[in-house]
Amino acid sequence: MAQADELLDLIGDIYHAALDASRWPDVVGRAGRFVGGQVASIFSKSPIAGGGDVLCQSGIDPHYCRLYFEKYVKLDPATTGQYFAEVGQPIAVSDLMPQDELRESRFYQEWAAPQGMVDFISTVIDKSATTAALFGVFRFEQDGLADDAARMRMQLIAPHIRRAVLVGRLIDLKSAEAQAFGAALERMTVGVGLVDRLGRLVHANAAARALLEAGDPLFTRDGRVAVRDGRSDQALQDLITRCAAGDAALGTGGSAMLMTAQDGTHHIAHVLPLTSHARRAVGRMVEATAAIFVRNAALEPPQAPELIAKAYRLTPAELRVLLGIVDVGGVPEVADLLGVAETTIKTHLRRVFTKTGAARQADLVKLTAGFALPVSA
């Protein structure tokens, strides 16, 4: 009866916080203690771009909080699994990976262990294409790993926290997504340029800026993106003009064209309209009507790891090893990058080989190349 009364009082205060934002820190702390931990937070983070933001917290050391988003969010082995979790589904780090594997990771040794943390149970509040917002409760040594009682209590309050958060607009995933969008562009090896209906460059990521500065095959002329070869330039300008009409003109997948640099190397430009359906939001961020993706006509690393994971039913740990092999190249290097033993990497790699049908590491590189297009319909 006491627990039922506590739950009813907590739910009432959760909805009060939707109307009075100043109540959130106290409510989040009480919710965390109800679930079974002394520290709790509502925050957002991106598995693609890294980074994130604390929206409301109770009991978190500011130093470690800052360290997490500046450095360790990219090393957190639970990030991918948390992002893939269904909205409202309680999930603990101990559900995603064995404790001995977690304790071997740099993330645990350098960030979690110094604070005495042993587990973290969370639920997704909302999710966008690049960002997830979560309510989470940290478990310390005295609390032990998340158990069935913690999961049950999280399930009891998670729907109410989600509704109150969304009603109270504590989070704005559009803003978070815009930040993650910009960060993701900078991390891409594919050159990405956003242009208006006249072909004027509105935004370019680092890879695109390098291409434009080199001036071959792309360059800027009076602020407009152009191609050195006259015929290719005419084709590009035509595609940009047609993007103003949206999917009706170019189709949902946009259109691609081949460009040749003076040294004979080939580049592929993929032009995608930003004026229709869900892509309008991206266009409004920077007042662009088209995105131009440019890459060398060679294998590129995948830009949609979640598609690979779903296609081959890879666990988050297996996906990290696959991407590590593609990006870094060898078991020792991947083990050092992830801060785990080489035997752990080899175990996951064997499972990746089994699930994908690949026989060698080189086969994994070829496999991921099929996911290299940076756009989807």
Side-chain angles (χ1 to χ4, degrees):
M1 184 64 68
Q3 179 180 329
D5 290 340
E6 179 187 3
L7 176 61
L8 289 176
D9 288 342
L10 178 57
I11 290 174
D13 286 341
I14 287 172
Y15 287 111
H16 286 159
L19 304 177
D20 181 359
S22 66
R23 293 174 174 260
W24 273 116
D26 176 66
V27 167
V28 166
R30 288 175 55 199
R33 291 189 290 275
F34 178 80
V35 172
Q38 299 302 309
V39 175
S41 176
I42 297 175
F43 63 100
S44 66
K45 63 178 177 177
S46 170
I48 299 175
D53 189 26
V54 173
L55 306 164
C56 182
Q57 62 89 15
S58 175
I60 296 178
D61 185 320
H63 170 69
Y64 282 102
C65 182
R66 184 175 61 255
L67 275 181
Y68 180 81
F69 289 107
E70 290 179 352
K71 177 179 180 181
Y72 290 100
V73 64
K74 299 176 183 178
L75 299 176
D76 187 346
T79 294
T80 305
Q82 290 164 343
Y83 178 78
F84 285 152
E86 297 294 329
V87 172
Q89 171 193 347
I91 185 168
V93 175
S94 53
D95 297 328
L96 299 172
M97 61 192 308
Q99 272 293 297
D100 56 351
E101 184 177 329
L102 172 65
R103 291 175 184 271
E104 289 179 350
S105 68
R106 284 182 57 195
F107 170 77
Y108 179 82
Q109 295 176 5
E110 297 177 11
W111 191 83
Q115 300 178 77
M117 294 179 180
V118 297
D119 207 352
F120 177 72
I121 182 170
S122 64
T123 181
V124 175
I125 295 174
D126 202 5
K127 191 187 299 187
S128 73
T130 62
T131 303
L134 303 96
F135 165 65
V137 179
F138 295 89
R139 304 273 293 194
F140 292 81
E141 293 175 355
Q142 63 268 29
D143 306 314
L145 300 180
D147 53 15
D148 290 341
R151 290 179 176 83
M152 180 191 71
R153 289 182 169 217
M154 177 67 85
Q155 253 180 331
L156 287 173
I157 64 169
H160 304 288
I161 290 178
R162 180 173 187 268
R163 294 186 195 113
V165 163
L166 296 180
V167 169
R169 297 184 181 276
L170 177 64
I171 59 174
D172 184 354
L173 278 188
K174 289 184 178 179
S175 175
E177 185 169 354
Q179 295 175 4
F181 172 74
L185 287 185
E186 289 302 306
R187 290 166 60 88
M188 291 175 69
T189 57
V190 175
V192 184
L194 306 181
V195 299
D196 64 14
R197 63 182 62 245
L198 297 178
R200 292 175 299 204
L201 185 66
V202 176
H203 179 80
N205 71 346
R209 293 194 297 270
L211 277 170
L212 292 170
E213 288 172 5
D216 187 30
L218 285 173
F219 70 107
T220 55
R221 179 176 56 208
D222 298 327
R224 300 184 183 187
V225 176
V227 187
R228 288 292 176 191
D229 176 70
R231 181 174 298 179
S232 297
D233 183 54
Q234 182 59 49
L236 177 64
Q237 303 310 321
D238 179 62
L239 290 176
I240 293 172
T241 300
R242 291 165 61 193
C243 279
D247 290 349
L250 292 182
T252 57
S255 183
M257 58 175 286
L258 184 67
M259 302 179 298
T260 304
Q262 293 178 351
D263 63 2
T265 58
H266 298 296
H267 293 73
I268 297 173
H270 195 105
V271 183
L272 181 73
L274 295 176
T275 52
S276 60
H277 304 306
R279 292 193 292 263
R280 286 176 182 160
V282 176
R284 283 197 296 267
M285 289 179 194
V286 288
E287 299 181 353
T289 59
I292 305 173
F293 299 85
V294 182
R295 64 183 177 91
N296 192 282
L299 294 181
E300 295 285 351
Q303 299 299 330
E306 69 274 11
L307 297 181
I308 300 175
K310 290 180 181 178
Y312 296 102
R313 298 183 178 180
L314 301 179
T315 66
E318 291 163 355
L319 178 61
R320 289 196 302 276
V321 170
L322 169 60
L323 297 180
I325 290 295
V326 172
D327 291 337
V328 180
V331 169
E333 292 81 5
V334 174
D336 181 65
L337 175 68
L338 299 181
V340 299
E342 290 186 24
T343 53
T344 299
I345 299 299
K346 290 178 180 178
T347 298
H348 289 309
L349 187 56
R350 284 195 296 270
R351 294 171 183 163
V352 170
F353 282 147
T354 300
K355 291 184 178 181
T356 62
R360 301 172 304 161
Q361 294 182 16
D363 295 334
L364 295 178
V365 177
K366 294 178 182 178
L367 178 150
T368 57
F371 295 82
L373 278 180
V375 295
S376 60

